[in-house]
Amino acid sequence: MLLQLLVTALLLIFATETVVSHQESGEWSCESDSEIQVMADFRPGLITLDGRNDDWKDIDGSEFPLRPALDPDADHEYSDGQMIVKALHDGRDMYFMLEIDGNYAYDKGENKKCPSVALMFQIGDQATYHDMGGCKEGTDSCTSKACRGFEVDIMHFSIGNAIPGRLYGGNPVDNGEGNGGDRFGHLVDIYAWNPHCRYLDGLGPSGNDSSAQNDWHGAWWHSSFTTQSGYVEEDSPYTPDSQKGTYYFEFSRPLRTMDRLQQDVQFTLGSPAKMSVAFWYPMDSKPWHGSGHYTINCDWIPLDISPGSHSGLATSIVKGSSDGTSISAIVISMISLVVSGFIAYKLFIPKNDPTPPFRPIDDNL
């Protein structure tokens, strides 16, 4: 109970600190490209969740420029390149891969001096991308009743205490206490109604719920790493500072969760979801701040979740069967049918037996 109160107090302090940081300087405007989207095809048995991109190389991704979230001006784009977003599902879990070029920056224990990423999804029908849900209530008045329909789901991963290649997110300790926290690697499951009303799943004005879980898992990697056998904490900082390369962030979550409080997005095969991605980076080795992040668009981006029956896997199986193989299979089937018929004929059709019938010996006396 004491720990839950402490977590809630810290979240309220964090929310209070971000009120000022999320004030915009002018009127919001957004010119979004209506053609952009992220595709999630059905590809079972393909992904190993380790932060590396080897098993994603044949998966098409969508490329986005990264612009400041509060001022999406092309003149202020992230200078090291664009973000590639890839997604797929296996019929049970959703998988995401984020690829971002960036010089290596890592300061153990200092989340804000390390890169960080977040995924955000629309839950409520009225929830807007801008203003993180868009509920007009303030910190003291936002509740699940007052902000009904403005819910968004957020997964946030800060890597300051996360070992490359290791899994973080939902764990028995935090899930056992009924919240979306992650005390080991800060890959947390959050819901929000606006920037000032953000809470770990299971906590906040909607009340504590012992069944709340962190359903996300994830890992990170950087292309400059040379150790393939696996890192441990003592290997930090894992590679020299400022090494050129690419960051990889890999995540998974079940399509459906046990959420009962409108705190998790529920993915449905064949139905699009709405998502966004955020990226924080410590420019010039200076710590980033909450609202100083880049995003892939100034509005929601459709996440197209294909049904399994129209998957790329099914298509590849059909295309992979050559004409010769198909003909051979038909011939073999016909031969099997003829042999089966011959055996049945031999077993059940009477035959002319040349052997004379048996006569008792008494008939000759």
Side-chain angles (χ1 to χ4, degrees):
M1 182 64 183
L2 180 60
L3 179 60
Q4 292 174 351
L5 291 174
L6 178 60
V7 171
T8 304
L10 290 173
L11 286 170
L12 289 174
I13 292 172
F14 177 71
T16 302
E17 289 177 345
T18 56
V19 169
V20 176
S21 66
H22 278 83
Q23 296 298 322
E24 294 170 341
S25 58
E27 184 178 351
W28 172 257
S29 64
C30 172
E31 296 181 3
S32 177
D33 183 353
S34 60
E35 300 298 320
I36 58 178
Q37 64 177 343
V38 174
M39 296 292 298
D41 286 330
F42 175 63
R43 299 293 297 271
L46 183 66
I47 299 303
T48 299
L49 201 64
D50 56 7
R52 309 185 195 190
N53 74 326
D54 305 61
D55 40 13
W56 289 88
K57 288 185 176 178
D58 294 330
I59 303 299
D60 293 333
S62 300
E63 194 167 1
F64 302 97
L66 290 167
R67 297 175 181 173
L70 299 186
D71 183 18
D73 191 326
D75 292 337
H76 302 129
E77 284 184 9
Y78 175 67
S79 58
D80 285 344
Q82 300 189 335
M83 174 185 283
I84 297 174
V85 181
K86 298 181 179 182
L88 59 83
H89 72 90
D90 61 6
R92 181 186 181 276
D93 294 318
M94 285 289 302
Y95 296 87
F96 298 91
M97 167 61 77
L98 312 179
E99 303 178 4
I100 315 104
D101 289 339
N103 293 345
Y104 186 66
Y106 189 83
D107 191 340
K108 184 179 181 300
E110 298 289 339
N111 280 328
K112 294 186 177 182
K113 290 185 177 181
C114 306
S116 181
V117 294
L119 303 177
M120 184 170 73
F121 303 90
Q122 183 191 54
I123 302 177
D125 292 340
Q126 302 177 67
T128 60
Y129 157 81
H130 178 239
D131 223 12
M132 205 175 293
C135 181
K136 301 303 182 183
E137 300 294 329
T139 305
D140 298 330
S141 58
C142 58
T143 64
S144 57
K145 183 177 181 180
C147 292
R148 182 77 170 88
F150 292 92
E151 303 89 352
V152 296
D153 184 14
I154 302 171
M155 184 286 309
H156 188 201
F157 188 23
S158 295
I159 66 173
N161 290 301
I163 302 169
R166 305 294 181 180
L167 278 181
Y168 295 94
N171 61 79
V173 180
D174 292 297
N175 283 345
E177 295 182 358
N179 66 69
D182 173 20
R183 67 189 66 190
F184 303 108
H186 197 77
L187 196 163
V188 295
D189 196 351
I190 305 170
Y191 70 99
W193 296 301
N194 61 47
H196 321 305
C197 298
R198 292 172 292 163
Y199 308 93
L200 290 174
D201 283 12
L203 300 177
S206 60
N208 178 263
D209 182 83
S210 59
S211 68
Q213 303 282 297
N214 183 345
D215 293 289
W216 286 95
H217 292 93
W220 71 282
W221 196 257
H222 192 266
S223 62
S224 65
F225 295 154
T226 57
T227 298
Q228 301 301 316
S229 59
Y231 286 105
V232 295
E233 189 173 4
E234 287 74 17
D235 295 325
S236 174
Y238 312 111
T239 197
D241 191 43
S242 299
Q243 288 274 18
K244 291 185 177 181
T246 303
Y247 280 97
Y248 302 107
F249 298 91
E250 188 175 30
F251 307 103
S252 74
R253 204 214 74 173
L255 291 166
R256 314 291 290 187
T257 73
M258 298 295 289
D259 172 49
R260 300 179 299 171
L261 299 174
Q262 280 282 84
Q263 297 176 356
D264 286 337
V265 62
Q266 303 300 321
F267 299 116
T268 302
L269 300 182
S271 296
K274 293 182 178 180
M275 70 172 296
S276 185
V277 183
F279 176 61
W280 290 259
Y281 188 82
M283 294 294 184
D284 302 320
S285 300
K286 297 178 181 178
W288 50 259
H289 58 91
S291 63
H293 57 285
Y294 300 92
T295 58
I296 58 175
N297 192 39
C298 59
D299 203 351
W300 293 119
I301 289 177
L303 171 64
D304 191 352
I305 308 171
S306 70
S309 59
H310 298 112
S311 69
L313 178 67
T315 302
S316 65
I317 291 175
V318 173
K319 290 182 177 179
S321 299
S322 65
D323 293 339
T325 303
S326 301
I327 293 172
S328 299
I330 293 173
V331 171
I332 292 173
S333 298
M334 292 179 67
I335 292 173
S336 299
L337 183 62
V338 171
V339 171
S340 299
F342 179 76
I343 293 173
Y345 174 81
K346 286 290 187 180
L347 289 174
F348 298 106
I349 301 301
K351 298 181 289 185
N352 295 324
D353 191 350
T355 306
F358 173 76
R359 290 183 178 182
I361 191 170
D362 292 344
D363 291 349
N364 297 320
L365 296 178

